[in-house]
PDB file of all heavy atoms in Angstrom:
ATOM      1  N   CYS A 248    -133.114  35.414 -40.835  1.00 97.00           N
ATOM      2  CA  CYS A 248    -132.932  36.523 -41.785  1.00 97.00           C
ATOM      3  C   CYS A 248    -131.434  36.918 -41.841  1.00 97.00           C
ATOM      4  O   CYS A 248    -130.768  37.037 -40.816  1.00 97.00           O
ATOM      5  CB  CYS A 248    -133.773  37.715 -41.382  1.00 97.00           C
ATOM      6  SG  CYS A 248    -133.693  39.090 -42.523  1.00 97.00           S
ATOM      7  N   ALA A 249    -130.940  37.187 -43.052  1.00 97.00           N
ATOM      8  CA  ALA A 249    -129.541  37.553 -43.197  1.00 97.00           C
ATOM      9  C   ALA A 249    -129.247  38.958 -42.698  1.00 97.00           C
ATOM     10  O   ALA A 249    -128.295  39.210 -42.011  1.00 97.00           O
ATOM     11  CB  ALA A 249    -129.107  37.394 -44.655  1.00 97.00           C
ATOM     12  N   VAL A 250    -130.110  39.922 -43.119  1.00 98.00           N
ATOM     13  CA  VAL A 250    -129.924  41.334 -42.749  1.00 98.00           C
ATOM     14  C   VAL A 250    -131.252  41.925 -42.323  1.00 98.00           C
ATOM     15  O   VAL A 250    -132.238  41.809 -43.065  1.00 98.00           O
ATOM     16  CB  VAL A 250    -129.342  42.152 -43.918  1.00 98.00           C
ATOM     17  CG1 VAL A 250    -129.182  43.605 -43.500  1.00 98.00           C
ATOM     18  CG2 VAL A 250    -128.015  41.604 -44.399  1.00 98.00           C
ATOM     19  N   VAL A 251    -131.294  42.546 -41.154  1.00 98.00           N
ATOM     20  CA  VAL A 251    -132.499  43.249 -40.694  1.00 98.00           C
ATOM     21  C   VAL A 251    -132.312  44.727 -40.833  1.00 98.00           C
ATOM     22  O   VAL A 251    -131.176  45.228 -40.845  1.00 98.00           O
ATOM     23  CB  VAL A 251    -132.864  42.862 -39.246  1.00 98.00           C
ATOM     24  CG1 VAL A 251    -133.230  41.390 -39.145  1.00 98.00           C
ATOM     25  CG2 VAL A 251    -131.726  43.221 -38.278  1.00 98.00           C
ATOM     26  N   CYS A 252    -133.438  45.456 -40.946  1.00 97.00           N
ATOM     27  CA  CYS A 252    -133.369  46.914 -41.152  1.00 97.00           C
ATOM     28  C   CYS A 252    -134.235  47.616 -40.112  1.00 97.00           C
ATOM     29  O   CYS A 252    -135.313  47.137 -39.741  1.00 97.00           O
ATOM     30  CB  CYS A 252    -133.836  47.268 -42.523  1.00 97.00           C
ATOM     31  SG  CYS A 252    -133.580  49.024 -42.937  1.00 97.00           S
ATOM     32  N   SER A 253    -133.777  48.768 -39.641  1.00 96.00           N
ATOM     33  CA  SER A 253    -134.507  49.558 -38.670  1.00 96.00           C
ATOM     34  C   SER A 253    -135.760  50.152 -39.318  1.00 96.00           C
ATOM     35  O   SER A 253    -135.938  50.132 -40.529  1.00 96.00           O
ATOM     36  CB  SER A 253    -133.638  50.689 -38.171  1.00 96.00           C
ATOM     37  OG  SER A 253    -133.464  51.699 -39.183  1.00 96.00           O
ATOM     38  N   GLU A 254    -136.595  50.731 -38.472  1.00 94.00           N
ATOM     39  CA  GLU A 254    -137.666  51.549 -38.957  1.00 94.00           C
ATOM     40  C   GLU A 254    -137.028  52.799 -39.636  1.00 94.00           C
ATOM     41  O   GLU A 254    -135.858  53.131 -39.398  1.00 94.00           O
ATOM     42  CB  GLU A 254    -138.546  52.050 -37.820  1.00 94.00           C
ATOM     43  CG  GLU A 254    -139.248  50.972 -37.068  1.00 94.00           C
ATOM     44  CD  GLU A 254    -140.098  51.533 -35.928  1.00 94.00           C
ATOM     45  OE1 GLU A 254    -141.034  52.308 -36.224  1.00 94.00           O
ATOM     46  OE2 GLU A 254    -139.826  51.211 -34.752  1.00 94.00           O
ATOM     47  N   MET A 255    -137.806  53.439 -40.508  1.00 93.00           N
ATOM     48  CA  MET A 255    -137.343  54.663 -41.154  1.00 93.00           C
ATOM     49  C   MET A 255    -137.175  55.771 -40.087  1.00 93.00           C
ATOM     50  O   MET A 255    -138.084  56.035 -39.320  1.00 93.00           O
ATOM     51  CB  MET A 255    -138.383  55.073 -42.200  1.00 93.00           C
ATOM     52  CG  MET A 255    -137.971  56.199 -43.097  1.00 93.00           C
ATOM     53  SD  MET A 255    -139.177  56.421 -44.442  1.00 93.00           S
ATOM     54  CE  MET A 255    -140.643  56.932 -43.524  1.00 93.00           C
ATOM     55  N   ILE A 256    -135.983  56.359 -40.040  1.00 93.00           N
ATOM     56  CA  ILE A 256    -135.645  57.318 -39.013  1.00 93.00           C
ATOM     57  C   ILE A 256    -135.397  58.700 -39.614  1.00 93.00           C
ATOM     58  O   ILE A 256    -134.657  58.830 -40.587  1.00 93.00           O
ATOM     59  CB  ILE A 256    -134.423  56.849 -38.218  1.00 93.00           C
ATOM     60  CG1 ILE A 256    -134.695  55.508 -37.524  1.00 93.00           C
ATOM     61  CG2 ILE A 256    -133.973  57.906 -37.175  1.00 93.00           C
ATOM     62  CD1 ILE A 256    -133.486  54.865 -36.922  1.00 93.00           C
ATOM     63  N   SER A 257    -136.008  59.724 -39.032  1.00 93.00           N
ATOM     64  CA  SER A 257    -135.867  61.080 -39.537  1.00 93.00           C
ATOM     65  C   SER A 257    -134.432  61.603 -39.273  1.00 93.00           C
ATOM     66  O   SER A 257    -133.951  61.574 -38.156  1.00 93.00           O
ATOM     67  CB  SER A 257    -136.852  62.022 -38.851  1.00 93.00           C
ATOM     68  OG  SER A 257    -136.513  63.353 -39.005  1.00 93.00           O
ATOM     69  N   ALA A 258    -133.796  62.075 -40.329  1.00 93.00           N
ATOM     70  CA  ALA A 258    -132.438  62.646 -40.162  1.00 93.00           C
ATOM     71  C   ALA A 258    -132.473  63.888 -39.290  1.00 93.00           C
ATOM     72  O   ALA A 258    -131.584  64.077 -38.428  1.00 93.00           O
ATOM     73  CB  ALA A 258    -131.878  62.997 -41.545  1.00 93.00           C
ATOM     74  N   LYS A 259    -133.501  64.711 -39.428  1.00 89.00           N
ATOM     75  CA  LYS A 259    -133.609  65.886 -38.599  1.00 89.00           C
ATOM     76  C   LYS A 259    -133.885  65.510 -37.136  1.00 89.00           C
ATOM     77  O   LYS A 259    -133.469  66.216 -36.245  1.00 89.00           O
ATOM     78  CB  LYS A 259    -134.672  66.843 -39.153  1.00 89.00           C
ATOM     79  CG  LYS A 259    -134.240  67.544 -40.404  1.00 89.00           C
ATOM     80  CD  LYS A 259    -135.187  68.641 -40.827  1.00 89.00           C
ATOM     81  CE  LYS A 259    -134.649  69.428 -42.007  1.00 89.00           C
ATOM     82  NZ  LYS A 259    -135.549  70.505 -42.459  1.00 89.00           N
ATOM     83  N   GLY A 260    -134.621  64.425 -36.931  1.00 88.00           N
ATOM     84  CA  GLY A 260    -134.846  63.959 -35.563  1.00 88.00           C
ATOM     85  C   GLY A 260    -133.539  63.572 -34.876  1.00 88.00           C
ATOM     86  O   GLY A 260    -133.357  63.857 -33.702  1.00 88.00           O
ATOM     87  N   ILE A 261    -132.625  62.974 -35.642  1.00 87.00           N
ATOM     88  CA  ILE A 261    -131.298  62.659 -35.088  1.00 87.00           C
ATOM     89  C   ILE A 261    -130.527  63.969 -34.831  1.00 87.00           C
ATOM     90  O   ILE A 261    -129.921  64.139 -33.784  1.00 87.00           O
ATOM     91  CB  ILE A 261    -130.502  61.773 -36.058  1.00 87.00           C
ATOM     92  CG1 ILE A 261    -131.198  60.401 -36.218  1.00 87.00           C
ATOM     93  CG2 ILE A 261    -129.058  61.630 -35.614  1.00 87.00           C
ATOM     94  CD1 ILE A 261    -130.614  59.534 -37.289  1.00 87.00           C
ATOM     95  N   PHE A 262    -130.636  64.921 -35.760  1.00 78.00           N
ATOM     96  CA  PHE A 262    -129.917  66.172 -35.642  1.00 78.00           C
ATOM     97  C   PHE A 262    -130.361  66.953 -34.401  1.00 78.00           C
ATOM     98  O   PHE A 262    -129.553  67.538 -33.671  1.00 78.00           O
ATOM     99  CB  PHE A 262    -130.167  67.025 -36.904  1.00 78.00           C
ATOM    100  CG  PHE A 262    -129.474  68.329 -36.894  1.00 78.00           C
ATOM    101  CD1 PHE A 262    -128.074  68.429 -36.907  1.00 78.00           C
ATOM    102  CD2 PHE A 262    -130.208  69.526 -36.869  1.00 78.00           C
ATOM    103  CE1 PHE A 262    -127.447  69.676 -36.882  1.00 78.00           C
ATOM    104  CE2 PHE A 262    -129.583  70.754 -36.861  1.00 78.00           C
ATOM    105  CZ  PHE A 262    -128.209  70.830 -36.879  1.00 78.00           C
ATOM    106  N   TYR A 263    -131.663  66.899 -34.105  1.00 79.00           N
ATOM    107  CA  TYR A 263    -132.201  67.603 -32.947  1.00 79.00           C
ATOM    108  C   TYR A 263    -132.225  66.725 -31.700  1.00 79.00           C
ATOM    109  O   TYR A 263    -132.742  67.115 -30.663  1.00 79.00           O
ATOM    110  CB  TYR A 263    -133.609  68.130 -33.230  1.00 79.00           C
ATOM    111  CG  TYR A 263    -133.586  69.264 -34.236  1.00 79.00           C
ATOM    112  CD1 TYR A 263    -134.176  69.112 -35.504  1.00 79.00           C
ATOM    113  CD2 TYR A 263    -132.995  70.469 -33.947  1.00 79.00           C
ATOM    114  CE1 TYR A 263    -134.155  70.151 -36.455  1.00 79.00           C
ATOM    115  CE2 TYR A 263    -132.967  71.519 -34.880  1.00 79.00           C
ATOM    116  CZ  TYR A 263    -133.566  71.321 -36.102  1.00 79.00           C
ATOM    117  OH  TYR A 263    -133.533  72.350 -37.014  1.00 79.00           O
ATOM    118  N   ASN A 264    -131.675  65.498 -31.820  1.00 70.00           N
ATOM    119  CA  ASN A 264    -131.531  64.578 -30.713  1.00 70.00           C
ATOM    120  C   ASN A 264    -132.862  64.252 -30.060  1.00 70.00           C
ATOM    121  O   ASN A 264    -133.006  64.129 -28.847  1.00 70.00           O
ATOM    122  CB  ASN A 264    -130.584  65.169 -29.634  1.00 70.00           C
ATOM    123  CG  ASN A 264    -129.998  64.071 -28.753  1.00 70.00           C
ATOM    124  OD1 ASN A 264    -129.782  62.935 -29.190  1.00 70.00           O
ATOM    125  ND2 ASN A 264    -129.771  64.396 -27.484  1.00 70.00           N
ATOM    126  N   ALA A 265    -133.921  64.177 -30.895  1.00 70.00           N
ATOM    127  CA  ALA A 265    -135.240  63.842 -30.383  1.00 70.00           C
ATOM    128  C   ALA A 265    -135.217  62.496 -29.703  1.00 70.00           C
ATOM    129  O   ALA A 265    -134.699  61.520 -30.231  1.00 70.00           O
ATOM    130  CB  ALA A 265    -136.237  63.834 -31.523  1.00 70.00           C
ATOM    131  N   GLU A 266    -135.770  62.410 -28.467  1.00 77.00           N
ATOM    132  CA  GLU A 266    -135.668  61.216 -27.652  1.00 77.00           C
ATOM    133  C   GLU A 266    -136.261  60.012 -28.369  1.00 77.00           C
ATOM    134  O   GLU A 266    -135.674  58.917 -28.373  1.00 77.00           O
ATOM    135  CB  GLU A 266    -136.374  61.441 -26.325  1.00 77.00           C
ATOM    136  CG  GLU A 266    -136.246  60.259 -25.380  1.00 77.00           C
ATOM    137  CD  GLU A 266    -136.901  60.544 -24.031  1.00 77.00           C
ATOM    138  OE1 GLU A 266    -137.277  61.692 -23.751  1.00 77.00           O
ATOM    139  OE2 GLU A 266    -137.069  59.557 -23.263  1.00 77.00           O
ATOM    140  N   LYS A 267    -137.424  60.183 -28.982  1.00 78.00           N
ATOM    141  CA  LYS A 267    -138.065  59.066 -29.673  1.00 78.00           C
ATOM    142  C   LYS A 267    -137.201  58.557 -30.823  1.00 78.00           C
ATOM    143  O   LYS A 267    -137.085  57.355 -31.035  1.00 78.00           O
ATOM    144  CB  LYS A 267    -139.447  59.484 -30.180  1.00 78.00           C
ATOM    145  CG  LYS A 267    -140.212  58.366 -30.868  1.00 78.00           C
ATOM    146  CD  LYS A 267    -141.589  58.851 -31.358  1.00 78.00           C
ATOM    147  CE  LYS A 267    -142.324  57.727 -32.070  1.00 78.00           C
ATOM    148  NZ  LYS A 267    -143.646  58.187 -32.585  1.00 78.00           N
ATOM    149  N   THR A 268    -136.596  59.509 -31.548  1.00 79.00           N
ATOM    150  CA  THR A 268    -135.765  59.106 -32.678  1.00 79.00           C
ATOM    151  C   THR A 268    -134.516  58.381 -32.213  1.00 79.00           C
ATOM    152  O   THR A 268    -134.127  57.350 -32.819  1.00 79.00           O
ATOM    153  CB  THR A 268    -135.332  60.379 -33.476  1.00 79.00           C
ATOM    154  OG1 THR A 268    -136.528  61.030 -33.925  1.00 79.00           O
ATOM    155  CG2 THR A 268    -134.463  60.027 -34.645  1.00 79.00           C
ATOM    156  N   ILE A 269    -133.903  58.832 -31.136  1.00 78.00           N
ATOM    157  CA  ILE A 269    -132.724  58.166 -30.618  1.00 78.00           C
ATOM    158  C   ILE A 269    -133.039  56.765 -30.130  1.00 78.00           C
ATOM    159  O   ILE A 269    -132.265  55.828 -30.315  1.00 78.00           O
ATOM    160  CB  ILE A 269    -132.050  59.009 -29.507  1.00 78.00           C
ATOM    161  CG1 ILE A 269    -131.655  60.389 -30.028  1.00 78.00           C
ATOM    162  CG2 ILE A 269    -130.856  58.276 -28.909  1.00 78.00           C
ATOM    163  CD1 ILE A 269    -130.723  60.346 -31.230  1.00 78.00           C
ATOM    164  N   THR A 270    -134.243  56.597 -29.538  1.00 83.00           N
ATOM    165  CA  THR A 270    -134.672  55.266 -29.122  1.00 83.00           C
ATOM    166  C   THR A 270    -134.733  54.299 -30.302  1.00 83.00           C
ATOM    167  O   THR A 270    -134.398  53.127 -30.137  1.00 83.00           O
ATOM    168  CB  THR A 270    -136.061  55.348 -28.448  1.00 83.00           C
ATOM    169  OG1 THR A 270    -135.953  56.213 -27.296  1.00 83.00           O
ATOM    170  CG2 THR A 270    -136.555  53.968 -28.010  1.00 83.00           C
ATOM    171  N   LEU A 271    -135.126  54.806 -31.463  1.00 86.00           N
ATOM    172  CA  LEU A 271    -135.206  53.946 -32.659  1.00 86.00           C
ATOM    173  C   LEU A 271    -133.827  53.435 -33.069  1.00 86.00           C
ATOM    174  O   LEU A 271    -133.754  52.433 -33.818  1.00 86.00           O
ATOM    175  CB  LEU A 271    -135.822  54.707 -33.823  1.00 86.00           C
ATOM    176  CG  LEU A 271    -137.305  55.100 -33.699  1.00 86.00           C
ATOM    177  CD1 LEU A 271    -137.725  55.964 -34.844  1.00 86.00           C
ATOM    178  CD2 LEU A 271    -138.180  53.876 -33.570  1.00 86.00           C
ATOM    179  N   LEU A 272    -132.783  54.084 -32.607  1.00 90.00           N
ATOM    180  CA  LEU A 272    -131.415  53.647 -32.963  1.00 90.00           C
ATOM    181  C   LEU A 272    -130.831  52.611 -32.031  1.00 90.00           C
ATOM    182  O   LEU A 272    -129.723  52.146 -32.228  1.00 90.00           O
ATOM    183  CB  LEU A 272    -130.487  54.877 -33.009  1.00 90.00           C
ATOM    184  CG  LEU A 272    -130.719  55.858 -34.172  1.00 90.00           C
ATOM    185  CD1 LEU A 272    -129.978  57.162 -33.922  1.00 90.00           C
ATOM    186  CD2 LEU A 272    -130.318  55.215 -35.470  1.00 90.00           C
ATOM    187  N   ARG A 273    -131.601  52.240 -30.998  1.00 91.00           N
ATOM    188  CA  ARG A 273    -131.087  51.201 -30.087  1.00 91.00           C
ATOM    189  C   ARG A 273    -130.892  49.889 -30.811  1.00 91.00           C
ATOM    190  O   ARG A 273    -131.668  49.533 -31.698  1.00 91.00           O
ATOM    191  CB  ARG A 273    -132.071  50.976 -28.930  1.00 91.00           C
ATOM    192  CG  ARG A 273    -131.996  52.000 -27.808  1.00 91.00           C
ATOM    193  CD  ARG A 273    -132.960  51.670 -26.725  1.00 91.00           C
ATOM    194  NE  ARG A 273    -132.800  50.330 -26.182  1.00 91.00           N
ATOM    195  CZ  ARG A 273    -133.654  49.743 -25.326  1.00 91.00           C
ATOM    196  NH1 ARG A 273    -134.713  50.410 -24.930  1.00 91.00           N
ATOM    197  NH2 ARG A 273    -133.414  48.547 -24.883  1.00 91.00           N
ATOM    198  N   SER A 274    -129.833  49.196 -30.490  1.00 94.00           N
ATOM    199  CA  SER A 274    -129.497  47.933 -31.155  1.00 94.00           C
ATOM    200  C   SER A 274    -128.870  46.973 -30.194  1.00 94.00           C
ATOM    201  O   SER A 274    -128.445  47.351 -29.102  1.00 94.00           O
ATOM    202  CB  SER A 274    -128.542  48.237 -32.338  1.00 94.00           C
ATOM    203  OG  SER A 274    -128.164  47.034 -32.989  1.00 94.00           O
ATOM    204  N   GLU A 275    -128.816  45.704 -30.583  1.00 94.00           N
ATOM    205  CA  GLU A 275    -128.134  44.677 -29.802  1.00 94.00           C
ATOM    206  C   GLU A 275    -127.282  43.853 -30.771  1.00 94.00           C
ATOM    207  O   GLU A 275    -127.566  43.745 -31.963  1.00 94.00           O
ATOM    208  CB  GLU A 275    -129.141  43.738 -29.104  1.00 94.00           C
ATOM    209  CG  GLU A 275    -130.048  44.441 -28.081  1.00 94.00           C
ATOM    210  CD  GLU A 275    -129.305  44.907 -26.832  1.00 94.00           C
ATOM    211  OE1 GLU A 275    -128.149  44.408 -26.618  1.00 94.00           O
ATOM    212  OE2 GLU A 275    -129.845  45.717 -26.042  1.00 94.00           O
ATOM    213  N   GLU A 276    -126.248  43.268 -30.221  1.00 95.00           N
ATOM    214  CA  GLU A 276    -125.289  42.542 -31.034  1.00 95.00           C
ATOM    215  C   GLU A 276    -125.948  41.366 -31.779  1.00 95.00           C
ATOM    216  O   GLU A 276    -125.552  41.023 -32.916  1.00 95.00           O
ATOM    217  CB  GLU A 276    -124.150  42.019 -30.161  1.00 95.00           C
ATOM    218  CG  GLU A 276    -122.980  41.426 -30.925  1.00 95.00           C
ATOM    219  CD  GLU A 276    -122.253  42.435 -31.794  1.00 95.00           C
ATOM    220  OE1 GLU A 276    -122.237  43.625 -31.438  1.00 95.00           O
ATOM    221  OE2 GLU A 276    -121.677  42.023 -32.842  1.00 95.00           O
ATOM    222  N   ASN A 277    -126.977  40.764 -31.176  1.00 95.00           N
ATOM    223  CA  ASN A 277    -127.566  39.533 -31.757  1.00 95.00           C
ATOM    224  C   ASN A 277    -128.424  39.815 -32.979  1.00 95.00           C
ATOM    225  O   ASN A 277    -128.944  38.865 -33.586  1.00 95.00           O
ATOM    226  CB  ASN A 277    -128.352  38.757 -30.728  1.00 95.00           C
ATOM    227  CG  ASN A 277    -129.568  39.514 -30.168  1.00 95.00           C
ATOM    228  OD1 ASN A 277    -129.829  40.652 -30.557  1.00 95.00           O
ATOM    229  ND2 ASN A 277    -130.305  38.883 -29.260  1.00 95.00           N
ATOM    230  N   GLU A 278    -128.619  41.069 -33.371  1.00 96.00           N
ATOM    231  CA  GLU A 278    -129.380  41.348 -34.578  1.00 96.00           C
ATOM    232  C   GLU A 278    -128.511  41.699 -35.769  1.00 96.00           C
ATOM    233  O   GLU A 278    -128.991  41.910 -36.881  1.00 96.00           O
ATOM    234  CB  GLU A 278    -130.400  42.481 -34.344  1.00 96.00           C
ATOM    235  CG  GLU A 278    -129.744  43.812 -34.039  1.00 96.00           C
ATOM    236  CD  GLU A 278    -130.771  44.971 -34.046  1.00 96.00           C
ATOM    237  OE1 GLU A 278    -131.795  44.863 -34.767  1.00 96.00           O
ATOM    238  OE2 GLU A 278    -130.521  45.983 -33.377  1.00 96.00           O
ATOM    239  N   ARG A 279    -127.216  41.767 -35.574  1.00 96.00           N
ATOM    240  CA  ARG A 279    -126.348  42.227 -36.649  1.00 96.00           C
ATOM    241  C   ARG A 279    -126.097  41.142 -37.689  1.00 96.00           C
ATOM    242  O   ARG A 279    -126.148  39.975 -37.346  1.00 96.00           O
ATOM    243  CB  ARG A 279    -125.011  42.733 -36.029  1.00 96.00           C
ATOM    244  CG  ARG A 279    -125.309  43.886 -35.070  1.00 96.00           C
ATOM    245  CD  ARG A 279    -124.060  44.500 -34.499  1.00 96.00           C
ATOM    246  NE  ARG A 279    -123.387  45.354 -35.461  1.00 96.00           N
ATOM    247  CZ  ARG A 279    -122.443  46.233 -35.105  1.00 96.00           C
ATOM    248  NH1 ARG A 279    -122.117  46.386 -33.844  1.00 96.00           N
ATOM    249  NH2 ARG A 279    -121.864  46.973 -36.023  1.00 96.00           N
ATOM    250  N   PRO A 280    -125.854  41.535 -38.938  1.00 97.00           N
ATOM    251  CA  PRO A 280    -125.676  42.898 -39.408  1.00 97.00           C
ATOM    252  C   PRO A 280    -127.023  43.693 -39.475  1.00 97.00           C
ATOM    253  O   PRO A 280    -128.052  43.163 -39.882  1.00 97.00           O
ATOM    254  CB  PRO A 280    -125.116  42.742 -40.831  1.00 97.00           C
ATOM    255  CG  PRO A 280    -125.569  41.409 -41.265  1.00 97.00           C
ATOM    256  CD  PRO A 280    -125.643  40.576 -40.020  1.00 97.00           C
ATOM    257  N   LEU A 281    -126.950  44.974 -39.063  1.00 98.00           N
ATOM    258  CA  LEU A 281    -128.100  45.833 -39.001  1.00 98.00           C
ATOM    259  C   LEU A 281    -127.958  46.960 -40.012  1.00 98.00           C
ATOM    260  O   LEU A 281    -126.921  47.616 -40.080  1.00 98.00           O
ATOM    261  CB  LEU A 281    -128.239  46.445 -37.593  1.00 98.00           C
ATOM    262  CG  LEU A 281    -129.276  47.569 -37.445  1.00 98.00           C
ATOM    263  CD1 LEU A 281    -130.696  47.052 -37.668  1.00 98.00           C
ATOM    264  CD2 LEU A 281    -129.148  48.220 -36.077  1.00 98.00           C
ATOM    265  N   SER A 282    -129.018  47.171 -40.788  1.00 98.00           N
ATOM    266  CA  SER A 282    -129.106  48.323 -41.680  1.00 98.00           C
ATOM    267  C   SER A 282    -129.994  49.371 -41.023  1.00 98.00           C
ATOM    268  O   SER A 282    -131.084  49.072 -40.584  1.00 98.00           O
ATOM    269  CB  SER A 282    -129.710  47.926 -43.036  1.00 98.00           C
ATOM    270  OG  SER A 282    -129.916  49.052 -43.858  1.00 98.00           O
ATOM    271  N   VAL A 283    -129.488  50.612 -40.922  1.00 98.00           N
ATOM    272  CA  VAL A 283    -130.267  51.705 -40.353  1.00 98.00           C
ATOM    273  C   VAL A 283    -130.705  52.633 -41.506  1.00 98.00           C
ATOM    274  O   VAL A 283    -129.862  53.142 -42.231  1.00 98.00           O
ATOM    275  CB  VAL A 283    -129.451  52.501 -39.299  1.00 98.00           C
ATOM    276  CG1 VAL A 283    -130.221  53.747 -38.882  1.00 98.00           C
ATOM    277  CG2 VAL A 283    -129.187  51.615 -38.082  1.00 98.00           C
ATOM    278  N   GLN A 284    -132.035  52.799 -41.598  1.00 97.00           N
ATOM    279  CA  GLN A 284    -132.560  53.619 -42.698  1.00 97.00           C
ATOM    280  C   GLN A 284    -132.926  55.000 -42.232  1.00 97.00           C
ATOM    281  O   GLN A 284    -133.624  55.160 -41.241  1.00 97.00           O
ATOM    282  CB  GLN A 284    -133.795  52.955 -43.344  1.00 97.00           C
ATOM    283  CG  GLN A 284    -134.259  53.727 -44.596  1.00 97.00           C
ATOM    284  CD  GLN A 284    -135.509  53.162 -45.177  1.00 97.00           C
ATOM    285  OE1 GLN A 284    -136.604  53.394 -44.708  1.00 97.00           O
ATOM    286  NE2 GLN A 284    -135.363  52.406 -46.284  1.00 97.00           N
ATOM    287  N   ILE A 285    -132.453  56.013 -42.953  1.00 97.00           N
ATOM    288  CA  ILE A 285    -132.792  57.421 -42.632  1.00 97.00           C
ATOM    289  C   ILE A 285    -133.586  58.027 -43.809  1.00 97.00           C
ATOM    290  O   ILE A 285    -133.539  57.530 -44.932  1.00 97.00           O
ATOM    291  CB  ILE A 285    -131.522  58.238 -42.351  1.00 97.00           C
ATOM    292  CG1 ILE A 285    -130.537  58.213 -43.527  1.00 97.00           C
ATOM    293  CG2 ILE A 285    -130.878  57.751 -41.069  1.00 97.00           C
ATOM    294  CD1 ILE A 285    -129.341  59.122 -43.323  1.00 97.00           C
ATOM    295  N   PHE A 286    -134.322  59.099 -43.474  1.00 96.00           N
ATOM    296  CA  PHE A 286    -134.998  59.815 -44.550  1.00 96.00           C
ATOM    297  C   PHE A 286    -134.928  61.303 -44.282  1.00 96.00           C
ATOM    298  O   PHE A 286    -134.739  61.743 -43.142  1.00 96.00           O
ATOM    299  CB  PHE A 286    -136.445  59.353 -44.693  1.00 96.00           C
ATOM    300  CG  PHE A 286    -137.391  59.919 -43.629  1.00 96.00           C
ATOM    301  CD1 PHE A 286    -138.173  61.041 -43.879  1.00 96.00           C
ATOM    302  CD2 PHE A 286    -137.498  59.309 -42.387  1.00 96.00           C
ATOM    303  CE1 PHE A 286    -139.003  61.566 -42.917  1.00 96.00           C
ATOM    304  CE2 PHE A 286    -138.352  59.833 -41.422  1.00 96.00           C
ATOM    305  CZ  PHE A 286    -139.118  60.943 -41.670  1.00 96.00           C
TER     306      PHE A 286
END
């Protein structure tokens, strides 16, 4: 695949630093380029 995308991530979850939401932002170099989707 040329470009992979994260699960949909709550913007407010990031704002409140919710642990589950931050886990969704974990990444590794071997998956790049990575698109991160927020809602």
Side-chain angles (χ1 to χ4, degrees):
C248 183
V250 179
V251 295
C252 188
S253 73
E254 299 180 61
M255 188 172 66
I256 299 171
S257 164
K259 286 190 174 179
I261 295 173
F262 180 65
Y263 291 114
N264 202 33
E266 184 178 349
K267 182 179 178 182
T268 301
I269 300 304
T270 299
L271 293 175
L272 289 167
R273 280 182 55 189
S274 178
E275 298 290 345
E276 189 65 29
N277 64 0
E278 66 170 332
R279 300 183 76 165
L281 170 66
S282 173
V283 172
Q284 186 182 79
I285 58 175
F286 77 97

